Amino acid sequence: MESWLFLALVLVVALVGKNMSLIIATGVVMALKLIPFANKWLPVIQAKGINWGVTVISVAILIPIATGQIGFKDLINTFKSPAGWIAILAGIAVAILSRYGVDQLAAVPQVTVALVLGTIIGVVVFKGVAAGPVIASGMTYLVITLFNLHF
């Protein structure tokens, strides 16, 4: 019963904050809880979900290459600007930090509660986006803005 109340609270906060991603995610989890044999799926989704999400995000990131919007010229130009190098380094840093973060989640599951709360606050109150690779872009934006750099 406690899990239903917690999910309902998350759903209410998502509705108040008008965050469609969180509304859908909460709805999907609640729907899964209603399916009798879904208890077997929930641990699998918990264990593999982050990797599945990263895969979906990676597909979305690669689409501009597939459509020809981004080509080798753009790749070469990336190496010609300080902003491009900062973006590369930010991507590396986030990937490394994420590896340690995933390991920590497995070792210390209590961290999940704080992360969920922080993510909900960030998404609903501050209109943020709950996505990992976007962090690299945000870090890049911050450094580029601070140092007035451009691609």
Side-chain angles (χ1 to χ4, degrees), residues 67-146:
T67 61
Q69 292 173 295
I70 297 174
F72 283 111
K73 179 183 175 187
D74 300 300
L75 176 63
I76 292 166
N77 286 337
T78 297
F79 294 103
K80 294 180 180 177
S81 72
W85 281 100
I86 291 167
I88 292 167
L89 293 173
I92 291 168
V94 167
I96 292 168
L97 291 172
S98 295
R99 180 189 75 202
Y100 291 113
V102 170
D103 290 347
Q104 179 175 341
L105 285 174
V108 187
Q110 299 85 343
V111 171
T112 303
V113 175
L115 289 173
V116 168
L117 179 60
T119 300
I120 292 168
I121 292 169
V123 166
V124 174
V125 176
F126 298 105
K127 305 298 182 203
V129 177
V134 177
I135 296 168
S137 178
M139 290 170 51
T140 301
Y141 171 79
L142 177 66
V143 174
I144 288 170
T145 303
L146 286 174

Side-chain angles (χ1 to χ4, degrees), residues 6-23:
F6 202 148
L7 288 169
L9 177 63
V10 171
L11 183 60
V12 168
V13 170
L15 289 167
V16 169
K18 298 177 184 162
N19 186 283
M20 192 55 66
S21 296
L22 193 55
I23 292 168

Side-chain angles (χ1 to χ4, degrees), residues 2-12 26 29-30 33:
E2 182 179 349
S3 64
W4 281 106
L5 291 173
F6 202 148
L7 288 169
L9 177 63
V10 171
L11 183 60
V12 168
T26 308
V29 171
M30 292 174 103
K33 282 184 64 66

Side-chain angles (χ1 to χ4, degrees), residues 10-63:
V10 171
L11 183 60
V12 168
V13 170
L15 289 167
V16 169
K18 298 177 184 162
N19 186 283
M20 192 55 66
S21 296
L22 193 55
I23 292 168
I24 292 169
T26 308
V28 166
V29 171
M30 292 174 103
L32 283 172
K33 282 184 64 66
L34 290 173
I35 300 171
F37 53 88
N39 286 339
K40 295 179 182 179
W41 296 352
L42 296 178
V44 173
I45 295 169
Q46 181 181 359
K48 303 289 185 185
I50 292 174
N51 291 331
W52 296 341
V54 169
T55 301
V56 171
I57 290 170
S58 296
V59 167
I61 289 170
L62 293 173
I63 294 296

